Amino acid sequence: MKSNLSATDRIRRARILLYDKSPFFAYLVTGMKLIETKDVPTMGVDAQANLYYNQDFVRGLTDEELYGVLIHEVAHVFLNHCIRRNNRDHIVWNYAIDIGVNYIIMEGNMSDGSRFQLPKGGIIPIGNSVSIQGTKIVVNDLDKKTADTIYDELMKNEKELKKNAKGGFDVHIMSEPKTKEEIAQAKKL
């Protein structure tokens, strides 16, 4: 359901309503600091649990998609994805962590037994595998892999991934001193 609330109020409302759907994720999401910005095309996080969001992106989401995106973003924080990148390739790491997080989300259920939803255009696993749009790359056996092992697998197809891949809906800000640079690089994805 679309809403006439501001983007900030929609996120605040979603954080509260999420307690009925998934108390664990709701508790984590509630601790995130909200920062509205045009510098991020969609939504993203940094290692300090700051949630950056573009109001136009938030307005375009259904309530169910907003719950899914909030869970997606907080998962990057509690899995330390922004810190664990180290010297890994930024683009390939983004794909790997999104695949891992989206697998967790798509396998989870809300308290009422319904599934979480993510916006179209994301890298959304079906069952235990995911195909990356625009490529022939398929990652299987997601239930046995971490973001690290998915990254290693994707690196075998780095050129194809960087040249042809489509999909993804968020930004991962890997280190505070490079925030603007990281945002600019992520906008190119």
Side-chain angles (χ1 to χ4, degrees), residues 41-124:
T42 55
M43 199 175 279
V45 293
D46 63 21
Q48 290 73 39
N50 292 310
L51 177 70
Y52 301 90
Y53 63 94
N54 183 302
Q55 65 181 351
D56 295 329
F57 174 73
V58 173
R59 283 190 192 121
L61 298 173
T62 65
D63 288 345
E64 292 75 20
E65 290 170 336
L66 182 54
Y67 302 140
V69 173
L70 290 172
I71 291 167
H72 174 99
E73 297 305 338
V74 79
H76 287 309
V77 175
F78 76 73
L79 292 169
N80 289 318
H81 286 158
C82 297
I83 297 168
R84 292 178 35 225
R85 176 182 154 218
N86 297 321
N87 293 322
R88 293 180 175 111
D89 181 273
H90 178 79
I91 293 170
V92 178
W93 182 244
N94 278 346
Y95 278 99
I97 62 180
D98 277 351
I99 290 168
V101 164
N102 289 347
Y103 173 73
I104 292 168
I105 292 170
M106 298 311 292
E107 287 299 305
N109 289 324
M110 292 186 258
S111 298
D112 65 4
S114 63
R115 293 279 185 186
F116 294 113
Q117 292 182 26
L118 292 169
K120 289 178 177 46
I123 307 163
I124 302 174

Side-chain angles (χ1 to χ4, degrees), residues 39 41 85 88-94 162 170-174 178-189:
D39 291 334
R85 176 182 154 218
R88 293 180 175 111
D89 181 273
H90 178 79
I91 293 170
V92 178
W93 182 244
N94 278 346
K162 287 182 174 182
D170 66 335
V171 176
H172 314 112
I173 302 164
M174 301 300 171
K178 296 191 254 178
T179 299
K180 293 206 183 285
E181 293 167 1
E182 295 284 0
I183 291 171
Q185 183 179 9
K187 281 183 177 180
K188 295 177 186 175
L189 292 178

Side-chain angles (χ1 to χ4, degrees), residues 157-169:
N157 297 295
E158 175 186 11
K159 287 181 183 174
E160 181 184 2
L161 182 74
K162 287 182 174 182
K163 182 178 178 185
N164 300 316
K166 296 174 178 59
F169 57 77

